[in-house]
């Protein structure tokens, strides 16, 4: 049972007006996602360059590419780190508080971004091993930011605009993608202008040039900059009032923190004795039958939809360059120098992000508190399914040169509806529907399920998209099911995501305590119109 002072505190949070602090919190909390997107964008570019630098086969008619196992490791190891970080920091955020571990994640990102660029060794194997080591810890830090940032933003927001604020934190990924594209294009164009190199077909060795080794290192290390710029601000953020009041049971401290950061006059609540009164119905543990009864299906819904979404999303995202090449939107690698190839891949991915990915994030921000999370997720999965099948069924049609632009437009629309859809909502909802003492943990579990899907998408698509004709596959790969069939599989994955969305409740317009069933007394004492909303 919530004490009266605690109930008043939560009500004030739910009814607070949007203030400057909320905007600052979005930027500070969003830097982890900026770094995440920047790294994801850049590593898909860097892999092409690493192949040319470290795995060039003398006399080969095509530039070197990373062997399958190395490509899978470089692309996938950060995802493995992210999965581990989501589980560990999600649990830790509930155990000792969100603020206590929030700076650690950002510090890990900074150190690991710089370490990735300083990867050392006298052989390709040694360089790849040290790169993978630092990328794992980069992922570990990024993973911690998922549950912590979502939970912090949810617990500071009012119920009217909570969805938009959490979505805005996640939408920082969009700026990370654009920054990655700008940096990659700027660095490759600068090096290309200063150190002019011929196309691979003209001079296989000279087309890469010794300076190329500095290019990928510079791009990766610049990822530490945004994290460094917000580290001090993050360390100054106080613990969320909801955690302090509901988990730490210190409403007086929660009142003081609210007054300090939100410019609100909050009466200090001293609840000596009263705060010890706990409703036993709401004191169950994470592994209890009661949790399973109340939230088991919700956790299954958030975890499974995020898992399925990321299979499709990461398959598309990490291997855009392969899809662009397959439909002829990019020139053949042997007609370009290393810097030219890097620039053109970065430009292609930047345009897709600018026209499809980023608008989807911000349409979600503007509409989520009006039409709800449930509707956005259903619409997103539906159109992702439709567009995947539109690409897959007449796939040969899209490979013809005159139809390349049509392919890119539809491909961009799948990204738009991923972000104005499940890529945003699967991040938002787990931060809203679970009790405060499990919120970070359950978000971490849901996010880790998503990253498991991302690992399957990354590794699986790498092999599955290979040509069915063994003579046409990339060196070192077995024959796959082909791009057409791979896109068909991704379409079916989206169908299952659509169906499992029905397990997830709608938190729009409801307090965190109401939607989680955590604080029934608050709702009895302060009834609202939102109580009529059905879960």
């Amino acid at each position: 049972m919530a004490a009266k002072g605690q109930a008043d505190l939560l009500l004030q949070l739910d009814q607070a007006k949007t203030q400057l602090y909320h905007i600052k919190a979005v930027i500070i909390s969003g830097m982890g996602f900026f770094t995440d997107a920047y790294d994801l964008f850049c590593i898909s570019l860097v892999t092409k360059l690493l192949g040319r630098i470290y795995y060039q086969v003398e006399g080969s008619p095509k530039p070197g590419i990373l062997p399958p196992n190395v490509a899978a490791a470089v692309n996938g190891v950060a995802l493995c780190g992210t999965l581990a970080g989501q589980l560990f920091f999600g649990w830790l955020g509930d155990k000792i508080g969100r603020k206590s571990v929030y700076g650690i994640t950002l510090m890990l990102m900074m150190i690991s971004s710089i370490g990735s660029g300083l990867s050392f060794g006298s052989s390709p194997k040694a360089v790849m091993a040290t790169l993978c080591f630092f990328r794992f810890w980069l992922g570990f830090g990024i993973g911690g930011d998922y549950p912590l940032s979502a939970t912090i933003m949810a617990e500071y927001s009012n119920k009217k605009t909570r969805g938009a604020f959490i979505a805005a934190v996640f939408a920082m990924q969009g700026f990370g993608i654009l920054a990655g594209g700008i940096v990659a294009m700027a660095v490759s164009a600068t090096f290309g202008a200063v150190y002019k190199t011929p196309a691979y077909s003209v001079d296989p060795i000279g087309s890469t040039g010794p300076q190329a080794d500095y290019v990928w290192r510079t791009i990766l290390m610049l990822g530490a900059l945004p994290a460094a710029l917000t580290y001090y601000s993050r360390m100054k953020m106080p613990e969320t009032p909801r955690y302090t009041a509901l988990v730490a049971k210190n409403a007086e401290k929660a009142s003081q923190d609210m007054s300090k950061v939100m410019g609100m006059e909050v009466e200090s609540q001293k609840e000596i004795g009263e705060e010890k009164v706990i409703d036993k119905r709401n004191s169950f543990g994470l592994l209890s039958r009661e949790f399973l009864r109340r939230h088991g299906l919700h956790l299954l819904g958030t975890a499974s939809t995020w898992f399925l979404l990321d299979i499709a999303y990461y398959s598309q995202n990490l291997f855009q360059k392969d899809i662009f090449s397959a439909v002829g939107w990019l020139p053949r690698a042997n007609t370009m120098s290393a810097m030219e190839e890097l620039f053109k891949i970065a430009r292609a991915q930047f345009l897709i992000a600018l026209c499809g990915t980023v608008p989807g994030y911000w349409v979600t921000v503007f509409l989520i508190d009006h039409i709800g999370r449930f509707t956005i997720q259903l619409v997103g999965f539906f159109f992702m399914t439709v567009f995947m099948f539109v690409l897959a069924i007449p796939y040969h049609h899209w490979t013809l040169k005159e139809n390349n632009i049509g392919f890119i437009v539809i491909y961009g629309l799948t990204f738009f509806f991923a972000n104005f859809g499940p890529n945003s909502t699967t991040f938002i909802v787990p931060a809203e529907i679970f009790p405060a003492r499990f919120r970070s943990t359950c978000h971490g579990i849901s996010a880790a399920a998503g990253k498991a899907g991302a690992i399957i998408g990354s590794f699986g698509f790498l092999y599955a998209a290979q040509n069915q004709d063994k003579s046409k596959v990339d060196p070192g790969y077995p024959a796959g099911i082909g791009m057409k069939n791979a896109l068909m599989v991704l379409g079916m994955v989206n169908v299952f995501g659509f169906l499992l969305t029905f397990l997830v409740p709608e938190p729009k317009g409801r307090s965190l305590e109401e939607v989680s069933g955590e604080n029934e007394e608050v709702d009895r004492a302060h009834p609202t119109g939102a109580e009529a909303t059905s879960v």
Side-chain angles (χ1 to χ4, degrees):
M1 183 186 296
K4 183 180 183 302
Q6 192 183 79
D8 291 340
L9 180 78
L10 298 175
L11 189 67
Q12 286 185 69
L13 269 173
D14 280 330
Q15 295 178 346
K17 293 180 179 178
T18 300
Q19 298 171 45
L20 179 62
Y21 181 77
H22 289 112
I23 310 302
K24 285 171 61 180
V26 166
I27 297 168
I28 295 166
S29 302
M31 270 308 127
F33 297 99
F34 183 102
T35 305
D36 180 21
Y38 178 94
D39 174 70
L40 180 67
F41 184 100
C42 290
I43 200 64
S44 66
L45 303 172
V46 163
T47 49
K48 281 276 193 184
L49 194 53
L50 291 173
R52 282 187 181 243
I53 296 168
Y54 295 107
Y55 292 92
Q56 181 56 45
V57 178
E58 192 172 345
S60 172
K62 294 194 289 187
I65 62 168
L66 295 182
N69 59 329
V70 177
V74 170
N75 281 313
V77 72
L79 300 177
C80 295
T82 303
L83 188 155
Q86 287 162 336
L87 292 173
F88 176 72
F89 286 112
W91 166 80
L92 201 60
D94 282 334
K95 202 74 175 171
I96 66 173
R98 289 62 159 127
K99 171 185 166 56
S100 302
V101 292
Y102 208 26
I104 300 171
T105 60
L106 211 59
M107 182 62 75
L108 266 173
M109 286 183 232
M110 288 189 288
I111 294 170
S112 301
S113 291
I114 294 168
S116 296
L118 297 176
S119 298
F120 52 86
S122 57
S123 67
K125 189 174 181 180
V127 173
M128 294 303 117
T130 50
L131 176 61
C132 287
F133 172 81
F134 284 116
R135 282 184 54 70
F136 176 86
W137 290 108
L138 174 65
F140 195 69
I142 287 170
D145 244 48
Y146 273 74
L148 294 172
S149 291
T151 300
I152 285 170
M153 204 66 238
E155 291 181 344
Y156 262 118
S157 301
N158 61 57
K159 63 183 180 182
K160 185 179 178 183
T161 58
R162 185 179 61 236
F165 281 128
I166 307 173
V169 168
F170 197 60
M172 292 293 283
Q173 283 194 333
F175 293 124
I177 292 168
L178 297 181
I182 291 167
V183 168
M185 286 189 287
V187 172
S188 59
T190 302
F191 273 80
V194 175
Y195 307 103
K196 297 191 180 299
T197 51
Y200 180 86
S201 56
V202 176
D203 183 355
I205 304 298
S207 69
T208 302
Q211 296 81 17
D213 199 45
Y214 295 105
V215 172
W216 69 269
R217 296 177 187 274
T218 302
I219 291 170
L220 292 185
M221 283 195 286
L222 285 172
L225 192 59
L229 292 174
T230 52
Y231 181 76
Y232 176 77
S233 298
R234 182 172 285 201
M235 294 307 295
K236 297 290 285 182
M237 287 180 79
E239 184 57 83
T240 71
R242 275 191 163 93
Y243 181 88
T244 306
L246 294 172
V247 183
K249 306 292 184 191
N250 189 342
E252 184 179 4
K253 178 72 166 66
S255 300
Q256 291 168 0
D257 287 343
M258 277 181 66
S259 297
K260 184 169 63 177
V261 303
M262 301 183 77
M264 297 169 57
E265 283 298 322
V266 182
E267 185 181 345
S268 183
Q269 305 290 345
K270 294 187 178 181
E271 299 182 47
I272 299 168
E274 252 190 320
E275 67 187 26
K276 303 293 184 184
V277 182
I278 299 172
D279 187 342
K280 289 185 178 179
R281 292 171 302 170
N282 289 331
S283 61
F284 52 87
L286 181 65
L287 302 178
S288 66
R289 286 186 179 180
E290 186 65 13
F291 177 86
L292 193 63
R293 184 183 72 80
R294 292 194 188 193
H295 301 291
L297 284 178
H298 296 165
L299 187 56
L300 175 63
T302 57
S304 62
T305 51
W306 206 337
F307 171 78
L308 293 166
L309 174 274
D310 272 7
I311 291 177
Y313 189 77
Y314 277 76
S315 295
Q316 292 172 260
N317 216 7
L318 280 173
F319 304 104
Q320 283 187 46
K321 60 184 185 301
D322 302 311
I323 293 172
F324 293 154
S325 298
V327 298
W329 206 45
L330 289 171
R332 291 195 310 276
N334 64 352
T335 65
M336 298 181 282
S337 68
M339 291 303 102
E340 189 182 357
E341 182 181 38
L342 179 63
F343 181 87
K344 288 186 176 178
I345 295 172
R347 184 179 61 186
Q349 294 190 188
F350 177 84
L351 290 172
I352 283 288
L354 186 65
C355 300
T357 308
V358 175
Y361 283 121
W362 290 100
V363 172
T364 300
V365 171
F366 293 123
L367 293 182
I368 191 162
D369 287 313
H370 298 286
I371 64 177
R373 293 78 163 138
F374 181 78
T375 301
I376 288 175
Q377 188 158 309
L378 280 183
V379 168
F381 269 128
F382 175 79
F383 281 106
M384 285 175 72
T385 303
V386 169
F387 290 127
M388 282 290 185
F389 286 137
V390 167
L391 291 177
I393 294 170
Y395 181 71
H396 176 71
H397 168 82
W398 300 116
T399 61
L400 302 176
K401 193 172 181 62
E402 62 268 23
N403 300 322
N404 288 169
I405 297 301
F407 178 94
I408 299 303
V409 169
I410 295 171
Y411 184 70
L413 284 170
T414 65
F415 274 106
F416 174 83
F417 281 104
N419 291 308
F420 176 53
N423 194 41
S424 295
T425 54
T426 52
F427 173 78
I428 295 163
V429 173
E432 299 182 294
I433 65 174
F434 299 105
R437 63 189 185 281
F438 306 134
R439 188 168 290 135
S440 181
T441 302
C442 289
H443 194 285
I445 292 169
S446 302
K451 278 298 171 283
I455 291 166
I456 291 171
S458 305
F459 286 68
F461 194 84
L462 196 63
Y463 288 86
Q466 292 295 319
N467 202 296
Q468 291 172 291
D469 184 345
K470 188 78 172 79
S471 64
K472 295 180 180 178
V473 301
D474 291 330
Y477 288 87
I481 60 174
M483 191 70 76
K484 174 178 179 174
N485 291 330
L487 291 170
M488 291 283 282
V489 170
L490 295 182
M492 287 306 301
V493 165
N494 292 325
V495 170
F496 286 112
F498 179 91
L499 297 174
L500 286 164
T501 296
F502 288 92
L503 294 176
V504 182
E506 174 58 79
K508 177 173 77 79
R510 308 168 71 192
S511 74
L512 295 177
E513 292 69 43
E514 180 191 353
V515 75
S516 67
E518 175 183 22
N519 195 352
E520 295 164 7
E521 294 303 312
V522 172
D523 294 321
R524 292 197 191 107
H526 306 280
T528 69
E531 284 180 349
T533 308
S534 168
V535 176

